Amino acid sequence: MACILVVDDEAMVRTMLAEVAVGMGHEALTAATLDEGLRLASTGAPDVVYLDVLLPDGNGLAHVTTFGRLPCAPEIIVVTGFGDADGAETALRHGVWEYLQKPLRVQDITLSLSRVLAYRSGRARRGIVGGGNGTVPGTSHAGQGGKDADSPAIAAQPSASPSTPLSREGIVGNSPALHAALELMAEAAASSVNVLVLGETGTGKELFARAVHRNSARAAGPFVTLDCASLTENLVESQLFGHVRGAFTGADRSRDGLLRLAHGGTLFLDEIGDLPLSIQGAFLRALELRRFRPVGASREVESDFRLVAATNKDLHEMVRLDMFRSDLLYRLRGLTITLPPLRERAEDLPELCAWAVDRFCQRHDLPPKFPAEDFLETVASYPWPGNVRELVHAVERACAAARDETTLYARQLPTEIRVRVARDRMDEHAAGLAEWAGSAAAPAIARQAGTPMAGHAALHPAPGTAERGAAVFGAGWPADAVHEWSRHSNGAGIVPEWPGAAAPTLPQFSGLQAVAGAENAPGAPGLPGQAASDQRGFAPGTVPPTLRAHKADAERAYVARLLTHCRGDIREAARLADVSRGHFYELLKKHDLGKTD
């Protein structure tokens, strides 16, 4: 019997999913908010979580990794009433099992639940504890003094025992993003399919390729590497396929190519995106048949090799530009491992720093070193565009600067890193001050100049504004649609008025008043009662709204005014708001603004 958790703010959906789960013989837990769902998940150890996207206290997609990090590592199925292609892609790339759209059907729920539980049961039989969100227990850092988990590890070979530890020499970290990649690496090692490793420069693509080989049945065979970026087009065929004596000028003896040298082992092609287009056809044939003809030879030779390729380029875009063969791409991606950049696994930074420091000190016979707080703060604040490679070099630079000192300080990191962090902090500070000053002073400045503020017109519209907005919005629309939306035109009636007391005295901005007044054309219409409305405080005995409630009111006003501006065109409104249509539909649902279709 499995435990199913349903996190959805709609009572009907919760009841439906729970009844289906109980009818299939499983235990069901339900929650209407994210907080309640996380609490139940941490105590109830669910196997499957049905997670809504738009919840009262947050976005479900933003908490997929939070659920995935739980000790039970549940499989996650996202359900939403306003889904779109972008949302589905985001969900799947975050490791969810499936992306379902409401209204749900019983047969769809039954089928998805049966499949996900069968998948989870199979993983448990193979000794893989946890879900598909990146939990690979039992792994160890070979050669690093790493940690060995108590639970069984993924088998390195198909016939190996489930308790065989997964070798991950040089691969440091325990973040969910890294564990997801390690899990795929273990699956690749247990098979003989071609593997494509994707990732930015410095993420450790060759380390993962070696780990696939080291944990596979071919571990005793050779591991042959080739950097395709270093190939010259006139010699690439000879390097890959080999040549016989006299095949070309300078070929004074026969030589085996890399494909032949990798017989019984693994061939690793780094930067496969740089493989010359002229040789891709011949390489594709060798990859399919495991047979090829050396340059100048009359007979074909065979080689039993396993291919692992890596690149930091977008191969799909290269295919679209006719810079890479689509049929070769289809052959390469038997199993794709996407390595996360370091900025997406910030929780691994302390462990990576400790590993790099220990390795440097051991190599150079230096006393152990420990990072100071400012060192770790700087490391955590830097975006690391060069990923792990850049981090390791920076830590080694700090260790070299520290010499025999036992404490590492931020001062010892490369100057470029410290400058970038200082600039980012100053920019963030300036932006925060500007935002605070703008939100605090702009209304007062505008009041002194008699200029209505953008946004305040929505909260305190002039007489007739709502009627004019409804007339514009209703042009070309059915009468019932106009009736449904007209009450939200220009945000009229959206934000409530609070009982006010006598207006306090505000600071006078005499110098800025002239500037603001110069920009305001003479006779420009003001907002009746605007100054009194904005300056008054809260009457005794009344409770001011919370900041969250005020933000929600402002967001609702913005959405309503945007709809008026776009005459109800959801696509255009989403474009102007710079959000997806699915996100905009969810905003409509959140603020109960109805639906135009």
Side-chain angles (χ1 to χ4, degrees):
M1 181 178 70
C3 179
I4 314 299
L5 172 61
V6 181
V7 184
D8 199 297
D9 60 337
E10 297 184 30
M12 184 180 297
V13 174
R14 294 198 304 271
T15 302
M16 180 182 182
L17 288 169
E19 288 183 352
V20 171
V22 172
M24 295 175 64
H26 305 299
E27 178 188 0
L29 304 174
T30 62
T33 63
L34 275 171
D35 287 342
E36 184 182 2
L38 288 170
R39 180 180 58 79
L40 290 176
S42 61
T43 57
D47 297 284
V48 180
V49 175
Y50 282 91
L51 182 62
D52 191 15
V53 173
L54 186 63
L55 291 161
D57 52 347
N59 188 293
L61 289 180
H63 289 77
V64 166
T65 54
T66 306
F67 281 97
R69 291 176 184 176
L70 295 171
C72 56
E75 299 293 342
I76 301 172
I77 299 177
V78 171
V79 293
T80 181
F82 301 103
D84 61 352
D86 293 339
E89 179 180 355
T90 301
L92 294 174
R93 289 191 181 279
H94 279 77
V96 306
W97 171 264
E98 197 170 0
Y99 188 86
L100 299 178
Q101 285 188 268
K102 300 174 184 177
L104 302 174
R105 299 185 303 174
V106 173
Q107 54 266 40
D108 294 337
I109 301 172
T110 304
L111 186 60
S112 68
L113 188 55
S114 300
R115 288 173 176 171
V116 69
L117 291 177
Y119 169 78
R120 191 174 178 85
S121 176
R123 293 167 57 81
R125 286 195 301 271
R126 296 197 306 271
I128 306 175
V129 181
N133 300 300
T135 301
V136 186
T139 60
S140 62
H141 302 281
Q144 303 169 24
K147 305 167 186 173
D148 295 327
D150 297 329
S151 53
I154 299 174
Q157 301 180 16
S159 59
S161 167
S163 60
T164 304
L166 182 69
S167 174
R168 46 182 285 187
E169 183 176 355
I171 303 175
V172 181
N174 289 288
S175 62
L178 181 63
H179 273 301
L182 286 170
E183 183 178 330
L184 289 174
M185 182 264 285
E187 293 179 6
S191 66
S192 59
V193 299
N194 298 326
V195 179
L196 178 61
V197 184
L198 303 176
E200 298 177 6
T201 180
T203 51
K205 295 184 289 294
E206 184 170 351
L207 282 176
F208 267 78
R210 290 185 179 276
V212 169
H213 171 73
R214 197 164 40 245
N215 289 280
S216 71
R218 297 174 178 266
F223 181 80
V224 180
T225 65
L226 173 64
D227 184 1
C228 296
S230 66
L231 291 174
T232 55
E233 193 163 350
N234 57 336
L235 294 178
V236 60
E237 189 175 8
S238 173
Q239 289 179 287
L240 282 174
F241 305 130
H243 62 265
V244 297
R245 181 179 179 181
F248 51 85
T249 302
D252 54 352
R253 61 187 179 89
S254 298
R255 174 176 294 180
D256 288 334
L258 296 179
L259 270 64
R260 180 62 183 171
L261 294 176
H263 178 72
T266 302
L267 173 64
F268 174 55
L269 295 185
D270 197 8
E271 303 302 340
I272 188 69
D274 293 317
L275 185 68
L277 190 61
S278 59
I279 200 65
Q280 290 180 16
F283 179 70
L284 174 63
R285 183 178 184 277
L287 187 59
E288 291 178 341
L289 304 178
R290 296 299 194 269
R291 291 200 310 270
F292 54 91
R293 182 179 289 107
V295 178
S298 57
R299 295 182 180 180
E300 290 185 336
V301 296
E302 294 183 353
S303 177
D304 176 24
F305 65 92
R306 194 261 183 90
L307 177 68
V308 179
T311 184
N312 60 5
K313 295 185 176 180
D314 186 348
L315 295 183
H316 291 280
E317 180 65 14
M318 294 182 67
V319 168
R320 190 185 69 82
L321 298 174
D322 293 328
M323 298 173 62
F324 199 85
R325 291 179 62 116
S326 59
D327 47 2
L328 177 56
L329 174 59
Y330 302 148
R331 290 290 298 177
L332 290 176
R333 61 181 190 187
L335 192 152
T336 302
I337 303 175
T338 302
L339 303 186
L342 188 54
R343 60 182 174 274
E344 294 182 5
R345 38 182 296 219
E347 53 266 66
D348 288 337
L349 285 171
E351 189 174 356
L352 281 165
C353 289
W355 173 79
V357 168
D358 291 344
R359 188 181 69 162
F360 185 87
C361 292
Q362 291 174 6
R363 284 181 177 179
H364 297 84
D365 196 24
L366 293 174
K369 302 180 186 302
F370 306 93
E373 185 175 350
D374 69 329
F375 183 95
L376 292 177
E377 288 178 354
T378 303
V379 167
S381 301
Y382 186 66
W384 299 109
N387 294 293
V388 179
R389 183 184 294 126
E390 183 184 11
L391 173 66
V392 171
H393 290 168
V395 171
E396 290 180 349
R397 158 71 173 80
C399 291
R403 298 185 180 180
D404 293 332
E405 297 178 11
T406 58
T407 303
L408 298 177
Y409 297 97
R411 176 68 177 80
Q412 295 158 339
L413 287 168
T415 303
E416 295 78 8
I417 292 177
R418 293 187 291 114
V419 168
R420 171 66 183 273
V421 171
R423 282 184 171 273
D424 289 347
R425 287 175 177 172
M426 293 298 294
D427 290 344
E428 291 174 3
H429 182 66
L433 286 177
E435 182 179 356
W436 175 84
S439 61
I445 296 172
R447 286 194 297 271
Q448 294 293 328
T451 305
M453 290 293 296
H456 287 262
L459 305 184
H460 307 281
T465 302
E467 289 76 13
R468 292 195 301 272
V472 173
F473 176 73
W477 283 74
D480 57 343
V482 175
H483 176 74
E484 173 67 18
W485 288 97
S486 59
R487 63 191 179 93
H488 303 303
S489 302
N490 278 344
I494 289 176
V495 182
E497 292 282 354
W498 299 295
T505 302
L506 296 178
Q508 302 299 315
F509 298 90
S510 56
L512 295 174
Q513 179 180 351
V515 178
E519 294 178 352
N520 192 25
L527 296 179
Q530 177 72 41
S533 173
D534 285 341
Q535 294 185 29
R536 68 193 181 198
F538 302 101
T542 62
V543 179
T546 64
L547 180 59
R548 175 176 296 183
H550 180 70
K551 287 181 176 179
D553 290 339
E555 184 181 76
R556 189 169 191 263
Y558 171 78
V559 173
R561 295 188 68 207
L562 189 59
L563 282 170
T564 303
H565 176 77
C566 298
R567 303 187 181 184
D569 188 338
I570 301 298
R571 183 189 298 270
E572 177 66 10
R575 185 188 70 80
L576 292 177
D578 196 24
V579 298
S580 67
R581 275 186 291 167
H583 186 181
F584 198 85
Y585 274 117
E586 289 174 352
L587 288 175
L588 298 181
K589 173 187 173 182
K590 175 182 177 181
H591 297 295
D592 192 25
L593 292 179
K595 197 174 180 182
T596 60
D597 56 2

